[in-house]
Amino acid sequence: MTMFHFFNCAILTFGPHAVYYSATPLSEYDTLGTSVKAALVYLGTALVKLVCLATFLQVSENDGCDPYQELLKALIGFIDVAGLYFALTQLTHRNISQNHKFQAVGLGWAFADSVLHRLAPLWVGARGLEFTWDYILQGLEANANLVLSISLAALGSLIWLRKNKPKTLIPIIYACAGIVATMPSITSYLRRGLGWHFPKVVGFELFTSLVMAFISWQLFSACQRPYV
């Protein structure tokens, strides 16, 4: 029963990444190499973030929310944006379109995040004798992160790769990218500052990811239209 629960949670956590790759044109254009490169960039970015967090953040003696510490974590979180910029603009990609490039980068980015932050807790905890919903919720959280990562990659491609875009949409694109980039800090504040329980936070992440995915899709579609 414990292994069955572990496999169910693992499929929920990592399965959508494989489904997205195989169900979209990404598999037809063989963009796996791009996703792997993006995953490696994510791991490097995570290492830099870890060093910055260990250097600049103080260990709190309580679980309260320190506004200064949260702001500092949000600023350090923008290292992800720098890493995503490198993955989208500096890595060598095969001859794939901008549409497929941002999806491949976002997919690799999200998969690396899930492996780094959820695989070890899943392996240790989901095989326990006592059933808990926490690891199912972690799987749902990984799905929300997948959608948010692809949305952020789409917005980043519009900012850095799409030169000719409607000027009226530029502030909206930057605002949406800022919201998605600060989602970890937002959820941290909801949990530690407002005392939201994990199921409520995951529900918020799922809802926000769907909203941001819809907005990103609309912005990307609008920027693809001929513009003079």
Side-chain angles (χ1 to χ4, degrees), residues 186-206:
I186 294 173
T187 54
S188 175
Y189 173 74
L190 293 177
R191 188 179 303 178
R192 302 180 62 183
L194 301 182
W196 283 23
H197 296 295
F198 190 39
K200 191 175 181 180
V201 173
V202 173
F204 172 79
E205 288 178 304
L206 289 170

Side-chain angles (χ1 to χ4, degrees), residues 37-54:
K37 291 177 183 177
L40 293 176
V41 172
Y42 174 85
L43 294 178
T45 303
L47 179 61
V48 174
K49 284 175 57 180
L50 183 63
V51 171
C52 291
L53 289 172

Side-chain angles (χ1 to χ4, degrees), residues 83-127:
L84 200 59
Y85 169 82
F86 181 84
L88 284 170
T89 63
Q90 302 301 314
L91 291 181
T92 56
H93 304 278
R94 296 189 59 178
N95 188 23
I96 57 177
S97 67
Q98 180 184 350
N99 187 23
H100 298 136
K101 181 189 296 185
F102 84 77
Q103 292 184 70
V105 169
L107 180 63
W109 198 268
F111 183 77
D113 178 82
S114 292
V115 170
L116 188 62
H117 293 102
R118 298 177 181 88
L119 181 58
L122 192 63
W123 176 254
V124 174
R127 296 184 303 134

Side-chain angles (χ1 to χ4, degrees), residues 97-103 150-151 153-159 161-162 169 173 213-225:
S97 67
Q98 180 184 350
N99 187 23
H100 298 136
K101 181 189 296 185
F102 84 77
Q103 292 184 70
I150 295 176
S151 299
L155 295 168
S157 70
L158 292 179
I159 295 172
L161 302 179
R162 184 74 178 182
L169 295 181
I173 294 172
F214 177 76
I215 296 175
S216 301
W217 173 59
Q218 292 293 328
L219 290 172
F220 197 88
S221 299
C223 291
Q224 291 293 101
R225 301 189 190 104

Side-chain angles (χ1 to χ4, degrees), residues 124-143:
V124 174
R127 296 184 303 134
L129 296 178
E130 184 179 353
F131 174 83
T132 174
W133 286 96
D134 288 347
Y135 302 103
I136 296 178
L137 292 172
Q138 283 188 17
L140 295 174
E141 187 179 41
N143 295 338

Side-chain angles (χ1 to χ4, degrees), residues 78 152 155 173-183:
F78 274 94
L152 183 58
L155 295 168
I173 294 172
Y174 275 91
C176 291
I179 292 173
V180 177
T182 55
M183 273 300 295

